[in-house]
Amino acid sequence: MCPSGRIPIPITTTANSDFRPAFEIIDTDRDGKISSDDLRAFYAGISSGEQNDETMIGTMISVADANKDGFVEFDEFEKVLETAPLLCRSGNGGDDGLMKDVFKVIDKDGDGRLSYGDLKSYMDSAGLAVSDDEIKAMIRLAGGDLNDGVSFDGLLKIFGC
């Protein structure tokens, strides 16, 4: 045990351990996994209060929690952070490549906007169990609303691009 009273978490060596410091900042109780309580504590000082924070926290956990144990372990955290930049990189000609393709796949009716139904359908087909409130929170995060849906730029916000 450290003099601070915290139990040190051994740092594992991975191909890219640059994310470990970020993980450790968010893992406020230092138990080696990120919980909803950890995210609440982390966002307490920076939350705008404009969005339903509980729903957003649930969404973050749900998206990253590959083994569905209710927590985000380092390998899950790392996978999300390593995958997001790949999705955000511009394709040939600077046309946002893969992300435009992702947008087109999700946009079932081809109207250029991602509706609640589009997002729900996609999440279900991807095997990601999300609640109605979590879908609504994604739409708000993207700067959209239930009437107009989400633009391409909004989808980039959802993915953190």
Side-chain angles (χ1 to χ4, degrees):
M1 186 173 303
C2 294
S4 67
R6 292 185 176 162
I7 298 170
I9 303 296
I11 296 177
T12 57
T13 305
T14 63
N16 182 358
S17 62
D18 293 341
F19 302 122
R20 179 61 72 177
F23 180 85
E24 290 176 353
I25 289 169
I26 298 170
D27 180 20
T28 58
D29 61 7
R30 303 291 189 254
D31 63 355
K33 55 191 173 191
I34 297 172
S35 67
S36 295
D37 289 338
D38 290 330
L39 285 174
R40 262 186 230 98
F42 177 75
Y43 282 109
I46 59 174
S47 176
S48 66
E50 293 177 11
Q51 299 175 1
N52 181 337
D53 294 333
E54 287 302 310
T55 303
M56 289 302 296
I57 287 170
T59 300
M60 290 179 200
I61 294 285
S62 177
V63 167
D65 182 18
N67 66 5
K68 302 299 178 202
D69 66 353
F71 300 98
V72 178
E73 287 82 16
F74 180 72
D75 62 323
E76 294 168 326
F77 180 80
E78 188 175 45
K79 185 175 180 180
V80 167
L81 293 180
E82 287 177 342
T83 303
L86 295 174
L87 294 173
C88 298
R89 286 191 190 135
S90 294
N92 295 334
D95 64 350
D96 297 306
L98 180 59
M99 287 307 296
K100 284 216 187 250
D101 293 339
V102 168
F103 186 88
K104 289 175 186 174
V105 167
I106 299 172
D107 183 17
K108 297 284 186 202
D109 59 8
D111 67 351
R113 306 286 292 181
L114 302 181
S115 68
Y116 171 91
D118 291 333
L119 289 168
K120 181 72 172 159
S121 173
Y122 177 75
M123 298 300 273
D124 289 345
S125 69
L128 300 170
V130 293
S131 70
D132 292 342
D133 286 340
E134 289 171 327
I135 297 290
K136 290 174 187 175
M138 281 188 244
I139 292 170
R140 285 192 303 273
L141 174 69
D145 62 48
L146 290 177
N147 295 324
D148 295 326
V150 174
S151 66
F152 175 70
D153 288 338
L155 179 67
L156 295 179
K157 286 182 187 178
I158 291 172
F159 280 101
C161 298

